[in-house]
């Protein structure tokens, strides 16, 4: 899966690329089916919503769940990112964000690279965020919002917010968001389960709470250029990985083949 | 402003009617300009967002602000409601809800008539909610969400939530919302400042937080059929009014004429 020159230009300009319905419903079903058991585990890698039992974010499932391990090396995800960063990649972070029906809380305006630099000493913003929808995303279940073009300003001033939600975040101040939105507006890509978004580590993003009866589970992978690996190991290794082995992409039907093999074996 | 038979049928079926851009920008500007001074007052009738200074809801402005007093008798609002309820009306409640940029918090799923019955002993659901947008409402600034047809079920079981936000609300449980949405889906009318929505006192509605840099100030009026006036005076009278005098609608250009008169006098 090679990106076109138009897609390269679009990424450069807007800071993201959207691929609606990139994975089939058969592929996402395998992943979605694995989520409840993972969320049910009482482990530090499951961060729950403030005052609630619903999981806000699950870390590092690719290290202990077979379908997610396969997704982590999927060529439809790895190849375009490799194309954009021009280098082999390793997995810096792997999350399954719940944004559960009724319980999913806000994510305030932030840039991911701000955290990677401050907490992990990642040298440059040469790491890509990948969002893969495990549920349909619509206007009611708290879609990801981007400010197009905001990645061009590099790392913006941010304050460490440890109180609003259950997960601490380096949050950008309101005045800056006002200016950025005046320039670039806001977009919220929506689409069926299996859609994918690639977005720049400096792209400013947020999402509202989910008051709808529809879950909005998404996988967020952060793929870092190998030479740009983190230098500081302050955060737990299930949050900021320390294994810089380059990812070998699998063949395209990996997710489906795994299911079929399992069905055949049963 | 007479409603058509199609509009009557639509209201019957969906529980709401939407009138995009019903008031001109000249008319809404007069109202919007009056809001900051009202919100600035340190009075009990200004309920602020939890832990914040931003106003969540202002009560009874039609009793102490001239432009809002005029709006409260505007024929473009009063006449269709009178048409639907088939009787003269009085003002049961008058709110200017802030849903301020960055600070506007959620309103959970609820029915207004549930509160009017429980707290105010309003005999029947013969009171209409009217929302008038003072700002553009878009997908990012926390639009009002409705479950079409949910008004037909009458008053649903609800629990008194006094902790989630700064304003106590009789909130409908998640299971019920799930069933209602399976039947009727969710809609969120969006449009320019000056748009109006009429919605049934039993229509289930909610709105998410406003993370955008755009205010979403709306006036919410509740017009009750005079014969259906409340029987219990438990809540402060700036919240549930005790003056059941029928509203006399003004002429259509009332808001504008007031401004022009003021300009001429200066």
């Amino acid at each position: 899966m090679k990106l076109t020159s138009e897609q390269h230009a679009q990424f450069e300009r807007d800071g993201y690329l959207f691929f609606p319905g990139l994975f089939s419903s058969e592929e996402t079903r395998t992943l979605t089916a694995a989520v409840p058991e993972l969320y049910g585990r009482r482990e530090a890698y499951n961060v729950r919503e403030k005052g609630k039992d619903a999981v806000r974010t699950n870390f590092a499932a690719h290290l202990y769940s077979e379908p997610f391990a396969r997704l982590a090396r999927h060529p439809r995800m790895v190849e375009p990112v490799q194309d954009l960063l021009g280098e082999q990649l390793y997995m810096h972070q792997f999350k399954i964000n719940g944004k559960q029906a009724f319980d999913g809380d806000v994510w305030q305006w932030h840039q991911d690279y701000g955290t990677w630099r401050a907490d992990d000493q990642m040298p440059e913003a040469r790491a890509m965020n990948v969002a893969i929808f495990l549920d349909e995303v619509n206007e009611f279940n708290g879609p990801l919002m981007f400010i197009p073009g905001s990645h061009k300003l590099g790392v913006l001033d941010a304050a460490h917010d440890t109180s609003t939600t259950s997960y601490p975040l380096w949050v950008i101040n309101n005045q800056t968001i006002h200016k950025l939105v005046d320039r670039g507006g806001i977009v919220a890509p929506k689409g069926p389960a299996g859609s994918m978004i690639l977005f720049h580590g400096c792209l400013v993003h947020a999402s509202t709470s989910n008051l709808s009866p529809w879950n909005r589970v998404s996988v967020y992978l952060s793929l870092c250029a190998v030479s740009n690996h983190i230098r500081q190991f302050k955060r737990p290794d299930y949050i900021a990985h320390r294994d810089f082995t380059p990812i070998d992409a699998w063949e395209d039907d990996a997710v489906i083949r795994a299911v079929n093999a399992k069905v055949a074996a049963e």
Side-chain angles (χ1 to χ4, degrees), chain A:
Chain A
M1 192 176 136
K2 272 295 221 189
L3 296 175
T4 64
S5 59
E6 286 75 29
Q7 287 175 311
H8 276 270
Q10 200 182 328
F11 180 80
E12 186 70 29
R13 186 188 67 226
D14 298 334
Y16 74 97
L17 288 173
F18 183 41
F19 305 85
L22 183 71
F23 295 91
S24 71
S25 53
E26 196 180 355
E27 287 168 315
T28 52
R29 257 201 304 274
T30 316
L31 299 163
T32 307
V35 172
E37 187 273 321
L38 297 175
Y39 277 4
R41 300 182 188 183
R42 298 284 146 184
E43 300 281 355
Y45 55 63
N46 275 330
V47 177
R48 290 170 198 278
E49 297 283 7
K50 200 173 179 177
K52 292 178 177 174
D53 199 52
V55 169
R56 178 171 178 78
T57 185
N58 161 284
F59 287 100
H62 67 308
L63 301 180
Y64 48 80
S65 164
E66 197 191 317
F68 287 100
R70 290 180 180 276
L71 181 69
R73 289 187 269 174
H74 202 295
R76 255 174 281 159
M77 176 207 49
V78 174
E79 286 173 5
V81 178
Q82 214 156 282
D83 190 6
L84 285 165
L85 293 180
E87 195 184 319
Q88 280 205 295
L89 310 166
Y90 81 93
M91 186 68 66
H92 170 58
Q93 195 168 75
F94 190 105
K95 302 192 292 270
I96 311 171
N97 281 8
K99 187 74 80 176
Q100 297 284 289
F102 302 112
D103 288 327
D105 206 351
V106 302
W107 289 87
Q108 297 149 279
W109 292 108
H110 69 286
Q111 299 174 303
D112 286 2
Y113 178 63
T115 302
W116 302 338
R117 192 178 73 167
D119 289 353
D120 309 325
Q121 287 184 14
M122 184 187 287
E124 287 176 59
R126 296 187 60 238
M128 183 73 70
N129 274 319
V130 182
I132 295 168
F133 301 176
L134 297 194
D135 293 299
E136 185 201 68
V137 173
N138 58 45
E139 68 177 286
F140 302 114
N141 60 358
L144 200 54
M145 303 186 288
F146 296 126
I147 305 176
S150 57
H151 64 299
K152 290 186 180 167
L153 302 174
V155 177
L156 300 161
D157 277 349
H160 208 207
D161 178 353
T162 56
S163 66
T164 306
T165 71
S166 62
Y167 189 71
L169 214 58
W170 289 89
V171 170
I172 298 166
N173 73 57
N174 295 351
Q175 265 186 312
T176 304
I177 296 301
H178 221 306
K179 277 186 215 156
L180 292 173
V181 172
D182 279 350
R183 269 181 22 152
I186 305 177
V187 295
K190 297 163 203 84
S195 300
M196 178 175 86
I197 310 172
L198 304 183
F199 62 102
H200 195 284
C202 289
L203 192 68
V204 178
H205 59 289
S207 65
T208 60
S209 47
N210 180 7
L211 292 184
S212 86
W214 303 303
N215 290 336
R216 200 222 68 182
V217 178
S218 302
V219 187
Y220 289 89
L221 312 91
S222 305
L223 295 168
C224 186
V226 170
S227 66
N228 192 47
H229 68 79
I230 63 170
R231 307 300 202 241
Q232 176 174 272
F233 304 148
K234 203 175 79 176
R235 300 199 291 173
D237 60 1
Y238 61 83
I239 294 182
H241 305 313
R242 298 163 197 180
D243 176 356
F244 310 138
T245 315
I247 296 170
D248 269 330
W250 287 41
E251 282 160 50
D252 190 68
D253 62 348
V255 175
I256 298 303
R257 275 191 300 114
V259 183
N260 293 344
K262 206 176 163 217
V263 170
E266 275 163 4

